[in-house]
Every structure is written in C-alpha cells, then in structure tokens.
Amino acid sequence: IVMTQFPATLSVSPGERVTLSCRASQSVDSNLAWYQQKPGQAPRLLMYGASTRATGIPDRFSASGSGTVFTLTISSLQSEDFAVYYCQQYNIWPPLTFGGGTKVEIK
Amino acid sequence: EVELVESGGGLVQPGGSLRLSCAASGFTLSTFEMYWVRQAPGKGLEWVSHIHYSGTPIYYADSVKGRFTISRDDAKNSLYLQMNSLRVEDTAVYYCARDLGWHDAFAVWGQGTMVSVSS
C-alpha cells in the first residue's frame, strides 16, 4: 500500500491552525498512525487507530479519516510543533508503509 | 521507565556485515511485536523487519530479504539485526521500535544507531 502525504512542506505562523493530509492507495480501514519527528530525534507516536491520541499527546492534536483519506490537525501551532510528520498504515502488511512526510516549518 | 537502546552501528565497506543490538528495559520484549525501522540521511522512514512476540512469524522488507536477519534473546531482553552483504543504499539510522500492544503502531522507539556503508 502506497501512502502519499501532502503538501510536502507547510509554512505556518505560530498560533495558526494546520491540517496535514495522508492518502492510501487502497483502504487501510482505521489502521493508521501519525508520528512527529524533530531533527536528530527518533519519531514519536502521536495518533493511532486513525483518531486516538497516544499517551501524553496534547489535545491540540486531532486526527480523522478512514479508508483512504486521513487528516492530522494541529489547532494552534506551538513552537515545539515545528517538525516533520509521517503517516503509516498497518492494515495490510508486510510491508508496513509510511508516507513521505510533511515538514511544518516556520513562516 | 520503558526504554530501547540501540548499539552496534558504524562504518563498514560494501559487502561487509554488522550486527545491531537493541536492549529493552521497563518491559518484557517477548510480550510485544518488535520492529526495525531505518531512515537514510535526509529521507523518510522505511520499515525493515518485524518479529512476532511469539517468535514467529518474521517479516522483512524486500530490500533486505535474504541479507538481514532479525532475532531476539529473551534472557537478555534484547533484539538484534544481523546485516550481511551490506550495500551503500543500506546507509541509514536504524531504529528498533515496539508496538502498542493492541495496534501495530510504533509506540516506543530507540534513539537510533547510524550505519554507514562506504568504501
């Protein structure tokens, strides 16, 4: 299953609302996760089951979708949210597949 | 505290071998699905291998099948990745990761270990 994320880069000001998109080449039901990765760090799980926040993730992060179209929303972007975000499907595997990532950068 | 710590990375020539280790603490490795994921410099994430909590099945990405072997030592609570016939394109940071327990999402990650394949 090919995962496609868009846009590749988002230029955003702190405090703005951000929506990231992820599309699967075939249905993955709700078996989709989102990760955040900052430079020099390992990825961190944000969401699983398409819309469930992982432990310790602030509620400004939300996600939705099922089937082939998914979104991750950050309601009010904080300085620590500038990072690369990846989606990943775990519905039909192997292989487990990631999207190419969306970089959220400061405008 | 739940933690994964990788080691064993380094510089190796094409065709060479390396063995990566991932030491788990704060949980029993054999009760979770475990994975290796890699990231080439400046690139995205690529799943490499998986071992079921029971020990089987084991899966590999096509790009490493026949060259890499995942294994586990329950007594040491450690995961391994034996990498043979290394290629330049295997150059990456290698992460071990653990699933949630009820979803195959990567809930716990190590800090990563760098593997560089170059002559």
Side-chain angles (χ1 to χ4, degrees):
Chain A
I1 297 177
V2 177
M3 306 301 294
T4 303
Q5 291 186 246
F6 50 92
T9 305
L10 266 175
S11 297
V12 187
S13 300
E16 286 188 8
R17 180 184 180 90
V18 174
T19 298
L20 286 64
S21 298
C22 174
R23 181 171 295 164
S25 60
Q26 65 186 84
S27 176
V28 299
D29 293 333
S30 295
N31 294 312
L32 184 109
W34 289 93
Y35 301 88
Q36 177 194 66
Q37 186 178 33
K38 298 179 182 179
Q41 296 185 15
R44 176 175 72 146
L45 178 65
L46 294 177
M47 316 291 293
Y48 63 92
S51 61
T52 302
R53 274 188 299 275
T55 303
I57 302 303
D59 60 8
R60 64 180 181 272
F61 290 91
S62 63
S64 63
S66 66
T68 62
V69 179
F70 301 88
T71 60
L72 174 70
T73 299
I74 310 171
S75 60
S76 177
L77 203 69
Q78 305 298 301
S79 58
E80 61 267 30
D81 300 334
F82 291 98
V84 179
Y85 293 83
Y86 295 95
C87 62
Q88 176 235 335
Q89 70 82 21
Y90 51 92
N91 189 55
I92 300 176
W93 65 283
L96 291 159
T97 49
F98 293 89
T102 292
K103 181 179 182 180
V104 177
E105 63 179 22
I106 300 174
K107 190 173 184 179
Chain B
E1 181 188 2
V2 172
E3 192 176 22
L4 295 169
V5 178
E6 301 96 335
S7 60
L11 175 63
V12 62
Q13 291 187 336
S17 297
L18 274 178
R19 187 194 194 208
L20 305 184
S21 299
C22 172
S25 58
F27 70 99
T28 301
L29 191 145
S30 62
T31 61
F32 290 88
E33 313 283 323
M34 296 297 298
Y35 308 84
W36 287 98
V37 177
R38 69 184 180 182
Q39 186 170 37
K43 302 298 184 182
L45 300 167
E46 180 189 15
W47 167 78
V48 172
S49 185
H50 155 268
I51 183 168
H52 192 266
Y53 65 83
S54 68
T56 58
I58 285 174
Y59 298 123
Y60 299 96
D62 286 346
S63 57
V64 307
K65 201 173 294 182
R67 301 186 298 121
F68 289 13
T69 302
I70 191 172
S71 63
R72 202 177 70 201
D73 185 331
D74 293 345
K76 294 184 177 180
N77 211 32
S78 292
L79 182 73
Y80 304 97
L81 186 68
Q82 177 66 44
M83 304 186 297
N84 298 331
S85 303
L86 282 161
R87 305 168 180 168
V88 171
E89 55 265 33
D90 294 320
T91 295
V93 175
Y94 284 73
Y95 298 99
C96 64
R98 192 206 85 179
D99 78 342
L100 266 171
W102 59 94
H103 278 260
D104 293 323
F106 305 122
V108 181
W109 295 72
Q111 85 288 353
T113 187
M114 182 69 203
V115 172
S116 296
V117 185
S118 174
S119 54

